[in-house]
């Protein structure tokens, strides 16, 4: 508790009241095991306070575990003007996720997009492969004080990582992460905060414990690791999907993290039984495709069911204002269904929650 209070005082001193309020808002109402808080928030302020926007579907990699590798959909970039038009529809936005199914830095407007969001005191969180976070981009990210970047690195060795992330290079991305950490040290900067993401599959499950060592060696222990199983067992990745993660591997990773003073979060999708949809808070964070379709959240991504996601989307922000989409009966009925422990059609393929 004292540590958390100290961090809030640090934010107040370095970021100001508006930013600190946005941070507390997100931690209190989204990362909560008490979904009634999210419902209370919705009652007090019905408009979504958080959003995820996909700025690109362009990608240079052919990762074995990613739906993008198996798409036939044309790659697109969202222009700065399109992004600003969407962002302007969320005047009270507290948090934004800027990760889609693509490489963010392949969008030539991406750095300009980050600058716009940072000018509005909005908390930015993004996952990235770090393939394009070279010295120049690393320095810009530090100067902009992007809040949280999560390197998505699915291996503790070059042999494993390069096998999964086809077209990438383990040594290169490790060097790029180090470059960002070095820039932070030189400028005595706290941001961006770095957490690490490891997507568990049959090719890398044996490296779970070793990955804790890898992250510790990179950061000195000042990081959190997210371990997530493949979100969806779609046909093209069936041979890579792990039904269960051996408990001894989990215990070993937890033990090492405790020794290093690091934190580990095991994703909710690792549970053997899905909790009820009534416990879901993700509905307060809509996800907007690069093509403008609004879906309920990001949990149905990476299921290689893009056409189905678009079919059951709530509307398109390039055709209709989000405020109007949010008020449509289709969207209202969706939220009511979650309250009633039901599984709306948009959530039938959810990797995290279940129900009737």
């Amino acid at each position: 508790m004292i540590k958390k209070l100290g961090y809030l005082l640090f934010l107040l001193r370095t970021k100001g009241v508006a930013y600190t309020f946005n941070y507390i808002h997100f931690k209190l109402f989204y990362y909560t095991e008490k979904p009634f808080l999210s419902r209370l928030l919705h009652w007090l302020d019905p408009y979504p306070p958080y959003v995820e926007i996909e700025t690109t579907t362009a990608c240079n990699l052919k990762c074995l575990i990613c739906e993008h590798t198996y798409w036939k959909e044309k790659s697109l970039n969202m222009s700065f003007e399109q992004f600003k038009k969407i962002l302007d529809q969320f005047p009270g936005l507290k948090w934004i996720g800027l990760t889609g199914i693509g490489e963010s830095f392949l969008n030539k407007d991406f750095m300009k997009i980050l600058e716009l969001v940072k000018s509005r005191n909005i908390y930015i969180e993004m996952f990235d492969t770090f393939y394009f976070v070279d010295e120049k981009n690393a320095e810009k990210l530090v100067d902009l004080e992007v809040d949280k970047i999560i390197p998505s690195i699915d291996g503790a060795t070059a042999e494993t990582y390069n096998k999964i992330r086809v077209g990438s290079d383990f040594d290169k991305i490790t060097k790029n992460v180090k470059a960002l950490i070095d820039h932070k040290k030189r400028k005595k900067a706290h941001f961006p905060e770095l957490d690490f993401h490891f997507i568990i599959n049959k090719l890398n499950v044996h490296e779970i414990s070793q990955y804790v060592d890898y992250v510790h060696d990179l950061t000195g222990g000042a990081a959190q690791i997210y371990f997530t199983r493949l979100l969806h067992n779609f046909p093209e990745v069936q041979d890579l999907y792990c039904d269960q993660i051996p408990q001894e591997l989990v215990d070993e990773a937890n033990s090492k993290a405790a020794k290093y003073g690091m934190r580990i979060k095991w994703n909710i999708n690792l549970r053997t039984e899905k909790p009820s949809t009534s416990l879901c808070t993700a509905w307060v964070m809509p996800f907007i495709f690069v093509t403008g379709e609004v879906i309920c959240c990001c949990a149905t991504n990476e299921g290689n069911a893009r056409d189905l996601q678009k079919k059951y989307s709530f509307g398109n922000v390039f055709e209709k204002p989000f405020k109007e989409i949010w008020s449509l009966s289709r969207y209202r009925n969706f939220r009511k269904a979650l309250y009633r422990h039901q599984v709306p059609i948009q959530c039938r393929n959810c990797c995290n929650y279940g129900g009737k």
Side-chain angles (χ1 to χ4, degrees), residues 207-267:
E207 289 190 354
I208 286 176
S209 173
Q210 192 177 349
Y211 190 72
V212 180
D213 295 321
Y214 167 73
V215 173
H216 175 262
D217 291 343
L218 262 179
T219 66
Q224 179 169 260
I225 298 173
Y226 296 94
F227 283 109
T228 304
R229 183 167 46 197
L230 275 170
L231 294 182
H232 300 283
N233 189 10
F234 60 92
E236 291 85 351
V237 300
Q238 279 182 348
D239 292 341
L240 299 176
Y241 190 82
C242 288
D243 288 318
Q244 290 187 331
I245 314 303
Q247 188 59 45
E248 60 268 24
L249 296 180
V250 173
D251 293 341
E252 189 176 347
N254 285 335
S255 177
K256 279 190 178 180
K259 181 181 74 174
Y260 292 141
M262 296 169 61
R263 295 157 294 154
I264 289 181
K265 279 195 173 182
W266 301 94
N267 193 294

Side-chain angles (χ1 to χ4, degrees), residues 18 51 67 128 177 187 208 213 231 272 309 346:
V51 69
E67 64 177 339
D128 198 84
V177 173
K187 298 192 175 187
I208 286 176
D213 295 321
L231 294 182
T272 53
Q309 287 177 289
Q346 292 87 352

Side-chain angles (χ1 to χ4, degrees), residues 79-343:
S79 70
F80 175 79
E81 290 73 22
Q82 286 176 317
F83 179 86
K84 185 177 183 300
K85 186 176 180 180
I86 297 172
L87 192 67
D88 288 345
Q89 296 179 52
F90 293 86
L93 199 65
K94 310 292 187 298
W95 178 100
I96 190 167
L98 290 175
T99 304
I101 310 299
E103 279 278 2
S104 299
F105 290 93
L106 285 176
N107 184 335
K108 64 180 179 58
D109 288 338
F110 188 65
M111 201 61 76
K112 192 176 176 183
I113 285 169
L114 290 178
E115 290 172 358
L116 173 66
V117 178
K118 288 308 300 176
S119 72
R120 300 190 182 185
N121 278 319
I122 300 167
Y123 188 101
I124 297 176
E125 186 171 305
M126 53 182 278
F127 290 76
D128 198 84
T129 65
F130 266 69
Y131 190 88
F132 292 107
V133 183
D134 53 16
E135 291 271 351
K136 182 180 177 182
N137 282 331
E139 188 167 9
K140 285 182 179 178
L141 291 169
V142 173
D143 289 343
L144 273 175
E145 295 188 325
V146 171
D147 305 276
K148 181 172 287 189
I149 304 178
I150 304 168
S152 197
I153 305 173
D154 312 307
T157 64
E159 180 183 5
T160 297
Y161 174 86
N162 293 342
K163 190 182 297 182
I164 296 168
R165 297 270 179 174
V166 178
S168 189
D169 183 283
F170 182 77
D171 294 332
K172 175 179 178 176
I173 59 100
T174 299
K175 179 182 176 182
N176 287 348
V177 173
K178 284 182 177 177
L180 190 141
I181 292 172
D182 288 343
H183 278 297
K184 285 178 61 178
K185 288 179 179 177
R186 278 197 296 272
K187 298 192 175 187
K188 298 180 179 178
H190 178 81
F191 298 99
E193 294 180 335
L194 288 180
D195 291 346
F196 288 76
H197 190 219
F198 183 102
I199 300 174
I200 301 170
N201 59 80
K202 287 182 179 178
L203 295 176
N204 66 9
V205 64
H206 63 287
E207 289 190 354
I208 286 176
S209 173
Q210 192 177 349
Y211 190 72
V212 180
D213 295 321
Y214 167 73
V215 173
H216 175 262
D217 291 343
L218 262 179
T219 66
Q224 179 169 260
I225 298 173
Y226 296 94
F227 283 109
T228 304
R229 183 167 46 197
L230 275 170
L231 294 182
H232 300 283
N233 189 10
F234 60 92
E236 291 85 351
V237 300
Q238 279 182 348
D239 292 341
L240 299 176
Y241 190 82
C242 288
D243 288 318
Q244 290 187 331
I245 314 303
Q247 188 59 45
E248 60 268 24
L249 296 180
V250 173
D251 293 341
E252 189 176 347
N254 285 335
S255 177
K256 279 190 178 180
K259 181 181 74 174
Y260 292 141
M262 296 169 61
R263 295 157 294 154
I264 289 181
K265 279 195 173 182
W266 301 94
N267 193 294
I268 191 173
N269 86 320
L270 290 169
R271 299 182 185 181
T272 53
E273 290 188 17
K274 291 183 181 181
S276 167
T277 54
S278 64
L279 299 176
C280 177
T281 59
W283 59 271
V284 301
M285 187 190 291
F287 189 99
I288 300 175
F289 282 157
V290 69
T291 42
E293 289 88 0
V294 177
I295 64 171
C296 51
C297 70
C298 67
T300 55
N301 287 343
E302 288 294 0
N304 202 20
R306 192 86 166 183
D307 290 341
L308 198 65
Q309 287 177 289
K310 290 182 176 181
K311 179 180 177 180
Y312 293 111
S313 69
F314 301 110
N316 190 304
V317 290
F318 296 141
E319 299 169 0
K320 193 175 293 185
F322 180 84
K323 191 171 185 179
E324 188 176 335
I325 294 171
W326 182 250
S327 300
L328 291 174
S329 59
R330 189 177 192 179
Y331 218 150
R332 292 201 313 271
N333 291 336
F334 164 82
R335 296 192 290 272
K336 288 177 183 176
L338 293 180
Y339 292 165
R340 295 167 182 161
H341 302 213
Q342 296 171 352
V343 182

